[in-house]
Amino acid sequence: IAVETSEMLSKRLKKNGIAHEVLNAKPEYAEREAETIAQAGRPGAVTIATNMAGRGVDIKLGGNAEELAHIELRKRNIDPEDENYETVFDEILPEFEQQVEAEREKAMAAGGLYVCGTERHESRRIDNQLRGRSGRQGDPGRSRFYISLEDDLMQRFGGDRIKLIMDRLGWEEGQVIDGRLISRSIETAQKRVESFHFDARKHVTEYDDVMNKQRQVIYNLRNRVLHGQDIRQEILDMVDDLLEIAVVIVCDEKTKSINWDLSKLEERFSFLFNTRFKFKSDIELDRQSIFDFLRKEARQMYERRVSDISSRLAAIDTILKEKAGVEIERSGGDKPFFDFEQHTILETMDHLWNVHLQEMDHLREGIGWRGYGQKNPLHEYQKEGFAIFQQLLDSIKEAVVRKLFFMEVAKPEDVLAQIEAEKRRREEMERSMRMIHDSPLEAAPQAAPQAGAQAMHPGQAPGGGAKQQPIRSPEEERQRLAAQKRARRKLKGA
């Protein structure tokens, strides 16, 4: 039963003066779960529990002696960490064991634990678990379930048909619904619900298989990059794949080679590799020859770019170490460009993979509507998911290649100039801070001897000696100026 139902039953029992305990997911009841279970098997005890409460705990007839002893110690305000706790526990435990044994005999004589189900669950397994609460380990017990045609299970499956049968048989309102036909109808309804849930879980698994296969491809590539396995070769393979796709699209075998628009390949090459490119006039108009030529050009460009950027990075590392005292450790060791390659692939993959997951979620939300067009939603999801995944792989390759060919590294002399400018800026800032923090009160005693005895204060004493002004702290000076300000405003207001 639901928590709301258990609360409703509790109110009705209270109204009829029946003492009982409630066991559900609410915090005030969950805290007393062990105490409630310990006393649920005592004679005359009534416990209202949901099907999720007290799972994995047997209800012992007569109660649980050990738990009852713990409850008694808590009533006496004896803390479990108290050194006398175990001693007192051992003293009172035999008393509760005798009490439990006597109540156990009384409960067994009354028929044992009686399980009363207020409705049938959608799953037969849950009903069987509730029945299994009674008759544990050879103890006597009984179980009985009560249903209504207004229950959710009966309303969804077979309620109208059973109601029609009852009207024909002349059953009246409130009469006990019993018989093999009714039990069979309830069991049939439960089987339908279980079959529905099984199909739903099966479909979820089939849809998840599509994402699992895609996830394996992405994670395998990501793990190889993380562990630094053939990153350079991965990038060269990406370059080959992009060139191959471009050549296949432009150099269609169904079209005569003289009609191939090689300007599109030139634009694509310039777009990917950040350079102006033109085919030679004497190039052989063959698909394989064109691909080999583009592949060779792209690899040579990448090798030159790696060499140039690596030398720049090495020079920058040396400048930082000598001028700024900063030593950079690169995971690539003697290959400074390795870090850029690794970080570029990982960053691009993570971003585009997150976008891809959102697109797959959107696809899955609306794919069920394909069923109205006499199409299998699962097959449509697999087909479109594969197409989207191929676009993802192509986007990763294109983004990685363009980032590596378009990225710029500062020249060593620019870095050196920036370090020198930063040093000058900090030195100027330090001088300014020292001038600000130099106190004029500290400079006054040094200026007095230079001024000579003739530099008298306007408030000179009649004997010719200068009146010495008291040296105030900054806080006293601030308070004096504030008092003068308040006095001026007071006079002005008057």
Side-chain angles (χ1 to χ4, degrees), residues 321-384:
K321 183 177 181 181
E322 295 176 353
K323 299 296 183 179
V326 178
E327 187 171 356
I328 299 178
E329 295 183 2
R330 302 189 184 275
S331 57
D334 58 345
K335 300 178 181 178
F337 197 66
F338 176 86
D339 284 343
F340 284 94
E341 294 175 324
Q342 187 180 48
H343 294 164
T344 299
I345 296 177
L346 293 177
E347 180 185 4
T348 304
M349 286 182 60
D350 292 346
H351 171 68
L352 294 179
W353 174 247
N354 288 332
V355 175
H356 174 74
L357 292 178
Q358 296 177 3
E359 292 180 355
M360 293 297 293
D361 287 341
H362 295 328
L363 175 63
R364 185 169 176 176
E365 289 175 359
I367 202 66
W369 295 101
R370 303 290 178 89
Y372 291 98
Q374 305 302 318
K375 295 181 180 179
N376 189 330
L378 177 61
H379 294 168
E380 294 294 310
Y381 180 76
Q382 292 173 341
K383 182 175 66 175
E384 294 200 15

Side-chain angles (χ1 to χ4, degrees), residues 60 88 91 124 278 377 406:
K60 297 181 180 180
V88 179
E91 291 177 357
R124 291 171 294 171
K278 290 290 184 180
F406 278 79

Side-chain angles (χ1 to χ4, degrees), residues 244-276:
E244 184 178 4
I245 294 173
V247 171
V248 169
I249 293 175
V250 174
C251 302
D252 190 0
E253 292 182 342
K254 297 180 180 179
T255 306
K256 292 183 179 181
S257 59
I258 196 173
N259 295 327
W260 291 346
D261 189 0
L262 298 183
S263 62
K264 293 183 179 179
L265 282 178
E266 295 172 349
E267 294 176 0
R268 181 64 174 171
F269 193 91
S270 301
F271 174 78
L272 292 174
F273 305 114
N274 190 23
T275 184
R276 293 184 178 181

Side-chain angles (χ1 to χ4, degrees), residues 33-173:
E33 181 176 355
E35 180 179 349
T36 304
I37 293 295
Q39 302 189 41
R42 303 180 69 178
V46 178
T47 304
I48 301 174
T50 61
N51 60 335
M52 293 298 294
R55 296 177 65 88
V57 182
D58 285 343
I59 298 177
K60 297 181 180 180
L61 295 181
N64 189 321
E66 295 182 355
E67 188 61 35
L68 292 175
H70 288 300
I71 295 172
E72 178 63 24
L73 291 178
R74 285 197 294 270
K75 291 180 180 179
R76 298 183 184 181
N77 295 325
I78 300 178
D79 192 88
E81 297 181 357
D82 195 334
E83 57 183 7
N84 297 326
Y85 188 87
E86 294 294 336
T87 304
V88 179
F89 177 81
D90 294 337
E91 291 177 357
I92 66 175
L93 181 60
E95 177 184 349
F96 283 101
E97 288 179 345
Q98 295 178 0
Q99 175 185 339
V100 166
E101 185 61 28
E103 293 185 351
R104 170 182 167 79
E105 296 295 333
K106 186 177 180 181
M108 292 179 64
L113 186 66
Y114 191 91
V115 176
C116 177
T118 58
E119 59 182 280
R120 295 289 288 271
H121 198 270
E122 292 180 348
S123 173
R124 291 171 294 171
R125 177 180 58 84
I126 301 297
D127 289 344
N128 292 333
Q129 286 181 349
L130 295 177
R131 292 190 182 99
R133 287 285 189 179
S134 63
R136 302 298 290 265
Q137 300 180 1
D139 292 339
R142 295 182 60 189
S143 64
R144 189 173 185 85
F145 283 79
Y146 292 85
I147 63 171
S148 168
L149 293 180
E150 297 177 356
D151 290 344
D152 292 338
L153 181 66
M154 303 303 295
Q155 288 285 342
R156 291 170 59 186
F157 301 98
D160 295 336
R161 186 170 62 88
I162 295 177
K163 187 175 181 180
L164 181 62
I165 294 175
M166 293 176 62
D167 292 340
R168 290 182 179 179
L169 295 178
W171 285 352
E172 299 179 355
E173 181 76 20

